[in-house]
Amino acid sequence: QVQLVESGGGLAQAGGSLRLSCAASGSIFSINAMGWYRQAPGSQRELVALVTNGGSTNYADSVKGRFTISRDNAKNTVYLQMNSLKPEDTAVYYCKTIVTRARAGPQYQYWGQGTQVTVSS
């Protein structure tokens, strides 16, 4: 069992900034990847940013240059620094982790409950 605790969502003005945090806990041997997805009303859930255990990052084109994903391995925590926010960034943001729970074990995927980000114009 793995739990993800998200924080940092809220209301921001266009051009402003927010910093999201997601801390993973539970039966974790290794975190293979952690990332952020978002879902706006009437839309599919989409990747925002992802960081792998090797440090590679991936970003959606819509946030590239504005958002930065980072990690603190000691705390099993991933952050999403969101700058130059736009109203189009308004969505529920979900943290996702892919973990192994034992050496040579299979991968498991877990989702956080989501945190609302609202950007006003």
Side-chain angles (χ1 to χ4, degrees):
Q1 300 183 16
V2 173
Q3 297 79 43
L4 299 176
V5 178
E6 301 158 323
S7 63
L11 179 65
Q13 294 75 47
S17 298
L18 287 172
R19 183 177 174 88
L20 305 183
S21 299
C22 175
S25 62
S27 299
I28 301 172
F29 177 78
S30 178
I31 296 179
N32 302 100
M34 294 188 76
W36 292 94
Y37 293 70
R38 67 186 182 187
Q39 187 167 18
S43 300
Q44 297 289 323
R45 189 172 299 185
E46 64 178 2
L47 172 72
V48 178
L50 183 74
V51 60
T52 70
N53 61 344
S56 298
T57 58
N58 295 288
Y59 295 93
D61 288 341
S62 59
V63 308
K64 195 171 296 183
R66 300 187 297 119
F67 292 7
T68 303
I69 190 168
S70 61
R71 60 180 182 172
D72 185 336
N73 291 335
K75 296 181 178 180
N76 287 341
T77 298
V78 65
Y79 306 93
L80 185 67
Q81 179 67 45
M82 304 185 293
N83 296 329
S84 301
L85 283 164
K86 303 176 180 180
E88 308 94 90
D89 297 318
T90 296
V92 178
Y93 284 69
Y94 296 91
C95 180
K96 186 182 82 171
T97 186
I98 299 174
V99 307
T100 57
R101 294 162 60 185
R103 266 196 305 149
Q107 293 182 334
Y108 293 85
Q109 177 178 285
Y110 296 93
W111 290 91
Q113 292 185 339
T115 184
Q116 177 70 46
V117 170
T118 302
V119 183
S120 64
S121 59

